[in-house]
């Protein structure tokens, strides 16, 4: 089945992390999937939300909470399983039929690792846009700039809280929209 090219799904994940090496026996788990849709024709950004995910192979460290503002209590109260989150992506965002984008390769690799480890199907189709690389190429930077730095270069204010998937997805959509229209 061909891709639906009206909108691009923008993804930004936050995952469990530690200051230094992971604690013994812990694997990095996605704890938030930030998502929105970028309308290719109009540049409108819609359906922006953060899906909180309960970690299955690790816990949220104080360092992780400091970085992301996501607490163990938040995911315990409002989080869903990773499997359920992938189902939401497939059903509500048509993630296997649409092109999707993230800032860098981390999000793609984290999804691949976690799907493989847990034994569930990858929720996305094969067409992935690496906005970080595309931005560097478009601007002839010679290096890949971080998301906040890319926004600064474009003189676009950072919306929300950096390292919150819901806000970073929206900010990435603004960068990709600029790339597509300049």
């Amino acid at each position: 089945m061909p891709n639906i090219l009206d909108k691009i799904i923008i993804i930004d994940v936050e995952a469990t992390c530690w200051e230094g090496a992971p604690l013994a026996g812990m694997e990095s788990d996605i704890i938030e999937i930030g998502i929105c849709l970028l309308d290719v024709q109009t540049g409108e950004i819609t359906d922006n939300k953060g899906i909180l995910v309960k970690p299955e192979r690790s816990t949220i460290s104080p360092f992780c909470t400091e970085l992301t503002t996501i607490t163990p209590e938040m995911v315990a109260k409002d989080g869903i399983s990773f499997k359920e989150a992938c189902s939401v992506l497939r059903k509500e965002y048509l993630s296997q039929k649409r092109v999707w984008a993230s800032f860098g390769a981390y999000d793609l690799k984290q999804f691949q690792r976690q799907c493989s480890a847990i034994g569930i199907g990858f929720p996305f189709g094969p067409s992935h846009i690496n906005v970080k690389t595309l931005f560097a190429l478009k601007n002839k930077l010679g290096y890949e700039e971080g998301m906040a730095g890319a926004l600064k270069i474009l003189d676009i204010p950072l919306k929300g809280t950096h390292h919150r998937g819901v806000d970073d997805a929206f900010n990435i959509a603004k960068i990709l929209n600029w790339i597509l229209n300049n």
Side-chain angles (χ1 to χ4, degrees):
M1 176 178 282
N3 283 329
I4 302 169
L5 297 176
D6 60 336
K7 296 177 181 176
I8 300 169
I9 302 169
I10 313 297
I11 296 287
D12 184 80
V13 301
E14 303 304 328
T16 52
C17 55
W18 304 269
E19 195 165 19
L23 299 174
M26 294 213 185
E27 297 280 334
S28 190
D29 280 315
I30 292 172
I31 55 173
E32 183 188 24
I33 302 169
I35 187 167
C36 64
L37 295 174
L38 172 63
D39 187 298
V40 176
Q41 296 299 316
T42 67
E44 183 183 12
I45 301 167
T46 59
D47 299 286
N48 186 208
K49 72 178 183 180
I51 302 168
L52 290 176
V53 181
K54 293 177 182 174
E56 298 172 37
R57 303 170 300 152
S58 61
T59 56
I60 298 172
S61 69
F63 172 80
C64 187
T65 295
E66 188 178 321
L67 181 67
T68 66
T69 73
I70 299 169
T71 66
E73 295 77 22
M74 288 167 65
V75 296
K77 179 178 177 269
D78 298 321
I80 60 176
S81 73
F82 181 69
K83 185 176 182 178
E84 288 174 276
C86 289
S87 180
V88 168
L89 295 174
R90 285 186 199 98
K91 291 177 184 168
E92 293 181 26
Y93 291 89
L94 305 177
S95 62
Q96 292 182 309
K97 298 176 183 170
R98 284 199 163 111
V99 174
W100 70 289
S102 63
F103 206 82
Y106 173 81
D107 306 79
L108 168 68
K109 290 177 181 174
Q110 181 62 33
F111 263 101
Q112 288 172 333
R113 281 190 300 264
Q114 196 159 337
C115 287
S116 176
I118 294 174
I120 63 168
F122 189 66
F124 300 103
S127 297
H128 175 257
I129 298 169
N130 181 330
V131 179
K132 187 178 195 177
T133 301
L134 196 58
F135 180 81
L137 293 168
K138 172 80 175 171
N139 290 284
K140 299 172 179 61
L141 296 179
Y143 62 94
E144 291 185 340
E145 181 65 63
M147 185 202 73
L151 288 168
K152 192 171 185 171
I153 288 169
L154 297 177
D155 201 27
I156 297 174
L158 188 144
K159 174 195 172 275
T161 302
H162 192 22
H163 299 300
R164 270 311 298 266
V166 62
D167 295 332
D168 287 352
F170 186 88
N171 288 310
I172 294 163
K174 291 190 293 186
I175 295 166
L176 182 55
N177 185 54
W178 179 89
I179 292 168
L180 293 174
N181 290 292
N182 288 287

